[in-house]
Amino acid sequence: MDRNYIDRHLLVDRYLAGAVPDDELADFEERLVWDEELIDELDLAERLREGMLDAARETRYVVPTQTGFVPRLRLVFSNAGYAAAASFLVGIALSVLMLGYRSDTSVPEEIRYSVNELQVFRGAGGPVIATTPDAMSILRFEVGHSFENYRVTIQAEGNPEPLWQQGGLVPDGDGMLAVGVPGASLPSGSYLLTVHGVNDGQTVLDRQIPFAAD
Amino acid sequence: MSDGQVIPVHLRDQRLADEIAAAIRIVRAVRDGSADAETELVQRYSRGLRYLIIKKTGDDVLADDLLQETLIIAIKKLREQALENPQRLAGYLRGIAIRVALNARRRRSREPYLADTAVLESMPDHGKRQFECVSAQETKAAVLKLLDSMPVKRDREVLLRYYVREEEKSEICRTLGLDSLHFNRVLYRAKNRFRGILERSDEGPDLVLE
């Protein structure tokens, strides 16, 4: 794969977003095995992406108005410190909705999400969650307080490529972790959620939770 | 060259041509028992393989072990048998790295395996990322500086919608009335500017959040 092709098709950014199709992926990765400039570009683009997400949380540069609630929710959940608090807020919002409270100002019309508790019972297999492409799936699961922070990775069955990943997450007071994953990333199928705990920079496998999306 | 003739990729991309030549030379020399060639292989491909392994496993701590395993397997095989396409050495190494990463995921428990001292010694320290000294706070400050320095509001919107909202390029182009080349230029210029800001901050702490 030559450089022009990579630049023309924005493969660096698409690779980081996990959006390079299989037929291009092998060639792209073959190049990155030897091309240190390409690795530098990937590093740079990753920093730009991370920095943009951080900057977008500031009021100074607001994400364009059509962004809506779901991407903003993703922003919140992609931040380490906000994950637990956000799950609490989502809980409140859900309670309000369930109580039948109606207010044009407090509950935007475009709120679309589902909260799923991932509980594993011995011998019962993984939980099954319902997802829709245009809604955020909020996954909550227990991790305890053994580590300073946690990294969560979700992979589709049979595919080693991480489908979704977020590090630096901290649990809430009940030892529960909550992550928000776009429903479009979780079509019907089987998945594996892997939790790594981090202490003093050391990463240790904490638990793995298989689940299915329906 | 006459019109319509396809120019081979390696003639359009000098660095790719250099890689092909190096790969063929390394494969032959390793097969002939050259320890120098093995060292060159390790040094040339370690950084990329490590990056790839981290992407596949999401585990940068385990990556060094898996990288070593990958290189040991590759070198042993290359000593024993010739590659059908030596110019695709990087692709061959990628295949091994992906299998090693997959097996590691299946294995889960980290059984120790015998370390190859020669490989260990020749493995360069490629753990560091570019601009390692730049913190997350400084990265954010660099992004804000970048956005501040962009005179055209529409260009800022391109970045926000592409990186934050993760909208498709085609959708952004359609709604903002941009063509594909213009979109690519906005991203290219932004990255270059961002690199410049980071390079300056890597030299000294001049990026402070307001």
Side-chain angles (χ1 to χ4, degrees), chain A residues 3 8 13 29-31 35 40 43 47 58 60-61 67 74 151 155 160-162 208, chain B residues 13 15 47 51 55-56 58 88 94 105 108 130-131 134 139-140 148 163-165 184 191:
Chain A
R3 274 307 317 202
R8 205 167 54 245
D13 290 307
E29 288 184 339
E30 181 176 335
R31 174 134 194 162
D35 189 345
D40 284 344
D43 271 346
R47 275 195 181 272
E58 302 285 311
R60 194 159 147 202
Y61 284 107
T67 296
R74 184 174 58 75
R151 185 174 66 215
Q155 288 147 309
E161 194 82 29
Q208 292 192 304
Chain B
D13 186 338
R15 296 183 56 246
R47 187 175 174 211
Y51 185 95
K55 282 285 166 213
K56 299 297 176 190
R88 300 289 299 270
R94 171 189 175 265
R105 282 168 35 75
R108 290 194 192 145
Q130 193 184 204
F131 308 121
V134 181
T139 302
K140 178 180 167 184
D148 284 343
Y163 285 113
V164 179
R165 185 165 154 69
N184 287 3
K191 282 180 184 172

Side-chain angles (χ1 to χ4, degrees), chain A residues 145-150 196-204, chain B residues 61:
Chain A
H145 291 288
S146 311
F147 296 94
E148 290 167 7
N149 61 71
Y150 293 83
H196 282 93
V198 182
N199 264 343
D200 296 328
Q202 298 292 309
T203 304
V204 177
Chain B
V61 176

